[in-house]
Amino acid sequence: RNTVLPLTIAGGDRDAVAFWRKRVSQLGLSDRVRHASQLTTPGQIDQFYSDIDLLILASQTEAFPLVITEAYSRGIPVLGSSIPSLRECIPDEEFLFRSGDPSDLADKVGWLLENRRRLQECSLNVHNSYLNTLCSGEVWRSYKTLYCSALHSAPGPSLLSVCAQDR
């Protein structure tokens, strides 16, 4: 397990960034760890994803994790903590680790390093899953049906023309 891997830490508020930079320096890892801070432009986001092979999401709490959708759209597998919202988005148990358990996280990363072929397979699978579920016409039709049914039940006949035009 003495593999040296580069690590990029992305996001976090000013206090979190300061904490991690100090901790990384204390551990003597400054040459291997970079902090991407806030990724606010499409170019920064694209560069971040093009530089990584695996996204690790170690959240303790999370609503809908948009970052997983962003990663899957680019074919980047996600290793996530086993909190409910991440379990819903990460279909494969081997890509989940016990929340708050750094040893389990390390074991999962180690397993993926030893099984790089599995990581490559997952990359293809998550990208295809993204294309087949979140980008499909079926999803759009479902949203449109929901939207139109909401319009039909709400007052304001002028809004109904939007749905009537597409029938």
Side-chain angles (χ1 to χ4, degrees):
R1 293 255 178 142
N2 293 323
T3 304
V4 177
L5 298 173
L7 175 67
T8 301
I9 299 173
D13 62 23
R14 193 176 313 200
D15 292 339
V17 171
F19 169 82
W20 285 113
R21 284 194 173 139
K22 181 178 178 184
R23 188 71 179 125
V24 165
S25 178
Q26 290 170 340
L27 293 170
L29 298 172
S30 297
D31 60 328
R32 290 184 246 160
V33 177
R34 78 176 183 94
H35 200 288
S37 298
Q38 295 292 328
L39 304 173
T40 57
T41 69
Q44 289 172 324
I45 294 168
D46 288 341
Q47 185 62 53
F48 170 75
Y49 284 111
S50 70
D51 289 345
I52 66 172
D53 297 313
L54 174 69
L55 178 74
I56 299 173
L57 191 55
S59 299
Q60 298 291 316
T61 61
E62 190 82 42
F64 178 77
L66 186 58
V67 68
I68 292 178
T69 305
E70 292 173 342
Y72 282 3
S73 74
R74 292 163 171 89
I76 306 292
V78 177
L79 181 61
S81 56
S82 61
I83 61 174
S85 60
L86 299 189
R87 282 195 309 266
E88 289 178 19
C89 298
I90 301 172
D92 197 331
E93 271 298 311
E94 60 194 4
F95 284 87
L96 292 168
F97 61 92
R98 287 185 300 277
S99 180
D101 187 342
S103 294
D104 193 38
L105 171 58
D107 289 345
K108 295 285 181 154
V109 170
W111 184 86
L112 288 169
L113 286 172
E114 293 168 5
N115 296 279
R116 288 185 187 259
R117 183 180 199 126
R118 180 66 183 109
L119 189 62
Q120 291 169 340
E121 288 170 2
C122 184
S123 179
L124 288 172
N125 291 342
V126 298
H127 185 68
N128 288 335
S129 174
Y130 168 81
L131 292 175
N132 293 328
T133 56
L134 295 174
C135 289
S136 73
E138 186 60 37
V139 171
W140 168 245
R141 283 186 291 281
S142 296
Y143 281 136
K144 184 177 173 196
T145 300
L146 176 64
Y147 176 72
C148 290
S149 68
L151 287 179
H152 286 288
S153 65
S158 62
L159 295 176
L160 295 177
S161 63
V162 173
C163 295
Q165 292 173 1
D166 292 327
R167 288 188 182 167

